[in-house]
C-alpha cells in the first residue's frame, strides 16, 4: 500500500506540470486578439485530458527520449557556422534553431551572432549589459513556461524539434519564414506543446561603401522573431 500511495503521488505531480503549461498558454492568449484567444481557450480545454490520463502517450515518451539523446550528442554532431554571404536565409534559421536546441552558453552566443544589431529583436533586448546578455538571461529563467506570453523566446531553448511551414521573399533583401517549434520543458517531460514563430531576415548592405557593417556585409541576418500565438497549443 505505501508503494502504491507513493506512485499515485508521483503520478499526480508529474501530470500537474503539463496542465500548468496549458494554463500558461491560456493566460498568454489574453495578449492576443479575440479570435486568437478563442483558439487558445479551445486548445486549453482539450489539454484538460492530461490530468485524467494515467499513461503518457508513446509519442510523448519518444519525444523525451529524443530530447535527452539530442542534449547528450548535440555538441558533437552539429557543425555551427558564422554569418557569411554564402549562407542563405533558411540556413541562417537552421543555424539559430540548432544552437537554441543545444542550449549551451556558447551555443546561444552563436545564435545571437546571426541577429541584426539594427533590428527590433536586438532593440527589445536592449540593456546596460547588452542585448545578447539580456536575451540569454530571459530565456533561461525556470520554469520557462511560466509567464511565457511575456517572453515567448523561452520556448525555443532546448527545443525538441522544428519544421518550416512556409516562406517568401518580400523583396530581394527581405525573407519571411514561419516555423513550428516543439518545445521541451524539463519539469514537464510528457507535455506535448507546439508553438509557431515568424522569422524575418534581411540581407545587410552598406550603400555608402564605407564598410560600416564589417563581416556582416552582404549577410542574411535575423531582423526579428515574432510569436504567432494562434499556433500555440498543448496536444491532448
Amino acid at each position: 500500500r505505501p508503494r502504491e500511495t507513493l506512485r499515485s503521488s508521483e503520478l499526480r505531480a508529474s501530470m500537474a506540470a503539463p496542465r500548468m503549461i496549458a494554463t500558461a498558454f491560456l493566460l498568454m492568449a489574453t495578449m492576443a486578439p479575440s479570435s486568437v484567444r478563442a483558439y487558445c481557450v479551445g486548445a486549453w480545454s482539450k489539454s484538460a485530458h492530461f490530468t485524467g490520463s494515467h499513461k503518457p502517450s508513446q509519442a510523448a515518451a519518444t519525444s523525451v527520449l529524443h530530447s535527452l539523446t539530442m542534449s547528450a550528442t548535440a555538441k558533437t554532431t552539429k557543425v555551427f557556422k558564422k554569418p557569411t554571404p554564402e549562407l542563405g536565409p533558411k540556413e541562417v534559421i537552421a543555424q539559430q534553431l540548432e544552437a537554441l536546441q543545444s542550449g549551451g552558453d556558447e551555443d546561444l552566443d552563436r545564435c545571437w551572432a546571426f541577429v541584426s544589431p539594427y533590428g527590433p529583436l536586438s532593440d527589445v533586448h536592449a540593456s546596460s549589459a547588452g542585448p545578447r546578455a539580456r536575451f540569454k538571461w530571459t530565456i533561461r529563467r525556470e520554469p520557462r513556461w511560466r509567464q511565457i506570453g511575456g517572453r515567448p523566446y523561452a520556448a525555443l531553448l532546448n527545443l525538441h524539434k522544428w519544421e518550416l511551414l512556409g516562406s517568401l521573399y518580400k523583396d530581394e533583401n527581405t525573407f519571411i519564414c514561419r516555423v513550428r517549434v516543439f518545445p521541451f520543458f524539463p519539469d514537464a517531460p510528457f507535455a506535448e506543446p507546439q508553438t509557431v514563430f515568424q522569422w524575418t531576415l534581411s540581407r545587410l548592405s552598406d550603400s555608402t561603401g564605407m564598410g560600416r557593417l564589417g563581416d556582416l556585409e552582404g549577410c542574411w541576418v535575423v531582423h526579428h522573431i515574432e510569436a504567432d500565438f494562434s499556433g500555440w497549443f498543448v496536444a491532448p
Side-chain angles (χ1 to χ4, degrees):
R1 289 295 180 182
R3 180 176 298 178
E4 292 178 358
T5 301
L6 177 61
R7 288 178 178 175
S8 176
S9 176
E10 291 175 343
L11 175 64
R12 287 195 297 271
S14 66
M15 300 306 289
R19 177 62 180 270
M20 287 189 285
I21 292 176
T23 301
F25 277 29
L26 175 65
L27 294 175
M28 170 194 66
T30 61
M31 303 170 60
S34 57
S35 59
V36 176
R37 289 201 296 272
Y39 183 96
C40 292
V41 168
W44 178 83
S45 299
K46 291 169 62 180
S47 72
H49 295 297
F50 267 134
T51 54
S53 172
H54 293 274
K55 184 178 181 182
S57 70
Q58 181 65 34
T62 302
S63 172
V64 173
L65 178 60
H66 178 73
S67 296
L68 294 176
T69 302
M70 288 301 297
S71 178
T73 62
K75 293 186 182 298
T76 59
T77 59
K78 294 175 182 177
V79 178
F80 291 108
K81 302 177 182 179
K82 297 180 179 180
T84 66
E86 290 73 34
L87 282 179
K90 288 185 179 180
E91 292 177 286
V92 169
I93 294 173
Q95 285 290 309
Q96 278 204 318
L97 287 167
E98 288 177 0
L100 287 162
Q101 186 176 51
S102 296
D105 197 63
E106 292 183 358
D107 301 312
L108 296 182
D109 287 342
R110 294 187 183 100
C111 171
W112 194 261
F114 288 96
V115 175
S116 170
Y118 311 107
L121 183 58
S122 184
D123 291 343
V124 297
H125 291 97
S127 73
S128 59
R132 179 181 62 182
R134 183 175 179 182
F135 174 77
K136 292 161 69 173
W137 176 81
T138 299
I139 68 174
R140 281 174 164 169
R141 282 187 293 127
E142 296 286 356
R144 285 184 286 111
W145 48 264
R146 183 170 293 170
Q147 296 180 333
I148 200 168
R151 54 184 188 121
Y153 307 117
L156 299 174
L157 184 66
N158 298 131
L159 62 95
H160 170 50
K161 61 180 180 179
W162 74 87
E163 59 185 26
L164 302 184
L165 298 178
S167 61
L168 61 88
Y169 284 90
K170 188 174 180 180
D171 54 53
E172 63 179 359
N173 293 315
T174 307
F175 181 81
I176 298 174
C177 184
R178 283 168 52 81
V179 182
R180 177 175 288 119
V181 174
F182 298 80
F184 175 73
F185 299 107
D187 52 344
F190 295 110
E192 297 182 66
Q194 296 184 27
T195 63
V196 175
F197 289 86
Q198 178 172 292
W199 260 255
T200 301
L201 291 86
S202 56
R203 182 160 49 191
L204 297 182
S205 177
D206 183 2
S207 59
T208 66
M210 299 175 63
R212 293 179 300 180
L213 298 175
D215 293 339
L216 292 179
E217 175 68 36
C219 296
W220 284 100
V221 293
V222 176
H223 188 68
H224 203 14
I225 302 174
E226 300 170 275
D228 178 0
F229 291 134
S230 67
W232 287 47
F233 67 95
V234 179

